[in-house]
Amino acid sequence: MDEPTLSPQEQRLAEVYDAFHAARASSSLSARLYALAMGEDYPPEVNASSSCDWQLLATAVRRLRLHPGQHLVDLGCGTGGEGLWLARALAARLTGIDVSLVAVHLAAARAGQFVPKGRADFRVGTLASTGLPDGSADGVICVDAYGFAPNKRAAIDEVHRILAPGARAVITFSGQAPLSSRPWTYQGLELEAEEHRPGVGQMWLRLYELRAEHEAELRREFGDDHAQDMLDEAQRRAPTVSSRHFSVVTLRRTTD
């Protein structure tokens, strides 16, 4: 499995996420804010910087339909929490792909807390270029990363390429309307299911409020530059959250 060469744009993105994950690893504050925003829906062991909650994990288990020993790929894996939790629950082999080398190293360091040695591998790559062989994945998950893909069609192409015939991808999605309300004409992948996530918008809004409430602590823990990036993100995204539809979609590679 070859590690893809990153384009200049992807390298810049990697630098941003390297700084993000390095800052988050140095403090428990970010995880505490996510836990406050999600409440009892927060799965503490996952420790994700995403909308991953107990309901999403249950949906992934139900939709992926993996058998023990099969291969799960986590695209945009970050520090690995969702993929590692699912790999343990499903007795699967795991490959995590992320553009951030820092995230990949942090994910690899956590693997032993979830699965036996050798059952999880983390590598640098992108949603559009994973370096994985054709048809090698028995299941794919992608949590809150698809929306940041520079080329979303190329990312879907890559999902199709690495999925084995009949295998499924579970992807979180947000947009102005449900994906199922649009014509889905991508050859080789069928939209098997889309499930609305009604609490996700409120979770993001609460998280953005918490960042503002904890501004002084954010600046003390993460430094002014990174804290300001988090506050700017909250200001930029909060006005559009209420108009977005949040869901989790299941795409199945057809057998022909």
Side-chain angles (χ1 to χ4, degrees):
M1 180 165 51
D2 298 325
E3 288 191 359
T5 301
L6 300 183
S7 69
Q9 181 184 11
E10 290 165 343
Q11 288 174 355
R12 289 192 294 272
L13 189 64
E15 291 171 0
V16 169
Y17 281 107
D18 281 346
F20 168 78
H21 288 295
R24 191 169 185 267
S26 69
S27 169
S28 64
L29 176 58
S30 181
R32 286 193 284 117
L33 296 186
Y34 273 93
L36 287 170
M38 282 193 194
E40 64 181 10
D41 291 333
Y42 180 73
E45 200 176 12
V46 171
N47 191 27
S49 53
S50 69
S51 66
C52 179
D53 54 19
W54 285 119
Q55 290 87 346
L56 179 62
L57 292 170
T59 297
V61 169
R62 177 165 46 89
R63 290 293 180 184
L64 287 169
R65 304 182 191 180
L66 291 183
H67 302 297
Q70 287 190 309
H71 184 206
L72 173 65
V73 175
D74 185 356
L75 296 181
C77 65
T79 57
E82 298 96 335
L84 286 167
W85 192 96
L86 289 166
R88 182 181 61 191
L90 298 167
R93 295 180 293 112
L94 175 68
T95 299
I97 304 291
D98 201 275
V99 73
S100 166
L101 181 61
V102 171
V104 164
H105 285 165
L106 290 169
R110 299 178 66 191
Q113 302 170 29
F114 291 85
V115 295
K117 185 177 180 179
R119 241 179 60 194
D121 177 46
F122 295 92
R123 292 175 175 254
V124 171
T126 69
L127 269 63
S129 182
T130 63
L132 293 168
D134 293 356
S136 61
D138 300 300
V140 167
I141 60 165
C142 183
V143 179
D144 293 358
Y146 173 72
F148 296 98
N151 185 329
K152 294 179 176 57
R153 180 57 185 264
I156 291 295
D157 284 339
E158 185 71 349
V159 169
H160 174 264
R161 185 187 70 78
I162 66 174
L163 276 177
R168 296 169 174 85
V170 173
I171 301 172
T172 58
F173 172 83
S174 69
Q176 297 301 314
L179 188 63
S180 55
S181 69
R182 312 172 188 181
W184 179 261
T185 59
Y186 186 81
Q187 186 174 2
L189 284 173
E190 65 178 9
L191 178 61
E192 188 171 72
E194 180 170 22
E195 299 175 40
H196 183 40
R197 304 179 69 202
V200 170
Q202 287 302 311
M203 185 279 291
W204 286 122
L205 286 174
R206 179 59 179 145
L207 179 66
Y208 298 152
E209 291 172 354
L210 287 165
R211 287 180 180 176
E213 292 170 11
H214 291 77
E215 178 177 352
E217 194 175 355
L218 284 171
R219 293 188 183 279
R220 185 170 63 251
E221 293 284 319
F222 298 137
D224 284 336
D225 289 345
H226 187 66
Q228 191 61 53
D229 287 343
M230 297 173 74
L231 295 166
D232 289 345
E233 178 191 46
Q235 276 197 322
R236 185 173 65 252
R237 293 186 179 175
T240 66
V241 166
S242 61
S243 65
R244 300 192 72 78
H245 177 91
F246 295 89
S247 63
V248 53
V249 301
T250 305
L251 304 179
R252 180 178 178 273
R253 180 174 173 177
T254 55
T255 55
D256 52 3

